[in-house]
Amino acid sequence: MRFDQHTVVLLVRPDDAPDLPQDALDRLQDAHLAHQAGLAEQGAVLAAGPFLGGDDERIRGLVVLSVDPQMARELYANDPAVRAGRLRAQVLSWMVPEGNLRFEQVPVPRSMLEAAAGD
């Protein structure tokens, strides 16, 4: 059997994440989304989204990338939320049977306002 290999990033809230005022958190979230949308426009992000109501609230989101693990580390080291210490990127290689997954190019929200608009 042949396999496709993808790079996966788990975005995790560190136990020592800095406490910030809500307006700073909102700006940081928008900067994080804009960074991720830019990576999607470059073709690096295949799929991304947050987790809700999970067993471990520290695990905040998942990203599937078209780049190798080292490049994923470099890309997410530049994520504003990672730089601010609000998220940590855990990088993994993920193998699935060849052809098992298909990714469509869809717009990725650049801000919370855009995500809430649902367009």
Side-chain angles (χ1 to χ4, degrees), residues 14-52:
D15 292 332
D16 61 348
D19 289 325
L20 299 171
Q22 189 60 51
D23 62 327
L25 290 173
D26 292 344
R27 286 191 307 274
L28 190 57
Q29 181 66 13
D30 281 349
H32 162 70
L33 291 176
H35 176 263
Q36 199 147 263
L39 296 179
E41 290 165 1
Q42 295 171 24
V45 169
L46 300 173
F51 290 120
L52 303 172

Side-chain angles (χ1 to χ4, degrees), residues 91-108:
V91 178
L92 307 127
S93 290
W94 182 40
M95 293 176 57
V96 296
E98 186 177 57
N100 188 255
L101 292 175
R102 303 263 190 275
F103 297 98
E104 299 291 328
Q105 285 191 319
V106 297
V108 176

Side-chain angles (χ1 to χ4, degrees), residues 13-83:
R13 173 78 30 85
D15 292 332
D16 61 348
D19 289 325
L20 299 171
Q22 189 60 51
D23 62 327
L25 290 173
D26 292 344
R27 286 191 307 274
L28 190 57
Q29 181 66 13
D30 281 349
H32 162 70
L33 291 176
H35 176 263
Q36 199 147 263
L39 296 179
E41 290 165 1
Q42 295 171 24
V45 169
L46 300 173
F51 290 120
L52 303 172
D55 291 337
D56 186 343
E57 288 293 322
R58 293 174 302 165
I59 302 173
R60 308 302 295 170
L62 172 81
V63 186
V64 181
L65 297 119
S66 65
V67 299
D68 65 65
Q70 184 55 38
M71 178 57 71
R73 285 182 189 89
E74 292 172 21
L75 294 174
Y76 276 86
N78 289 316
D79 183 300
V82 172
R83 285 194 331 252

